[in-house]
Amino acid sequence: MIDFNSILQPTSVEFVQECKSRKSALESASNLLSRRCEQLDARDLLEKLTAREELGSTALDDSGVAIPHCRDDHCSFPAAVLLRVEPDVQFGPDEYVKLIMALVVPNKETSSHLEILKTVALVCSQESNMVRLLEASSSTELHSTFMQLVNEVSAS
């Protein structure tokens, strides 16, 4: 079972106002990830997250969520950040997102990387969960709601 408490810290959740583009959202995520993991370079992370998006959008179909992710040699543990963006940001040709869960994992992490992505997708694919997440009025509330939903999905 994945320990989301170690992956997503309360300080790794932010509301991003005036978010103008996918690039702007990825920059915010890269900066926050590099603050979380000092050994990571924000510019390098931005390049890796952008390269992954160019392979195909990480937006989950009609959910309002994107999960940009990458691997990094300097990363020693899986780390994630959760952003609530305003206004919605276009991530694919027809995909606009309100929430972004950006993830960086060590190169050697394969199964946990996929398990993390699967868990986030399960949480965010349920409309009732998205309503709860989008009703959060602070980063603290968004973090606690997300963690509660992860626990519920993991228990079922």
Side-chain angles (χ1 to χ4, degrees), residues 12 49 55 59:
S12 298
L49 292 172
L55 293 174

Side-chain angles (χ1 to χ4, degrees), residues 37-66:
C37 309
E38 293 177 7
Q39 69 272 27
L40 299 176
D41 178 72
R43 277 179 274 152
D44 186 46
L45 280 174
L46 176 60
E47 288 176 15
K48 289 178 179 183
L49 292 172
T50 301
R52 171 57 189 88
E53 285 300 318
E54 289 173 359
L55 293 174
S57 174
T58 59
L60 302 177
D61 292 337
D62 299 323
S63 68
V65 177

Side-chain angles (χ1 to χ4, degrees), residues 19-22 57-66 84-85 87-100 130 134:
C19 194
K20 303 273 189 231
S21 64
R22 179 179 74 176
S57 174
T58 59
L60 302 177
D61 292 337
D62 299 323
S63 68
V65 177
R84 170 66 170 99
V85 294
D88 297 358
V89 173
Q90 186 173 7
F91 253 70
D94 299 317
E95 297 290 336
Y96 286 81
V97 301
K98 301 171 186 310
L99 289 176
I100 299 167
M130 285 301 296
L134 295 174

Side-chain angles (χ1 to χ4, degrees), residues 2-9 101 116 119-120 146-147 150:
I2 301 296
D3 178 16
F4 266 89
N5 289 314
S6 67
I7 296 169
L8 182 65
Q9 301 287 306
M101 171 70 78
I116 295 165
T119 301
V120 173
F146 182 80
M147 296 306 291
V150 164

Side-chain angles (χ1 to χ4, degrees), residues 122-141:
L122 284 171
V123 166
C124 296
S125 64
Q126 296 179 31
E127 189 175 332
S128 61
N129 290 350
M130 285 301 296
V131 168
R132 288 175 61 189
L133 290 167
L134 295 174
E135 286 177 345
S137 59
S138 69
S139 57
T140 302
E141 185 181 357

Side-chain angles (χ1 to χ4, degrees), residues 7 33-34 36-37 40 45 48-49 68-75 77-81 102-106 113 116:
I7 296 169
L33 279 166
S34 69
R36 169 85 160 72
C37 309
L40 299 176
L45 280 174
K48 289 178 179 183
L49 292 172
H69 54 279
C70 67
R71 297 177 188 274
D72 192 287
D73 287 328
H74 300 103
C75 183
F77 56 89
V81 298
L103 173 68
V104 61
V105 297
H113 181 186
I116 295 165

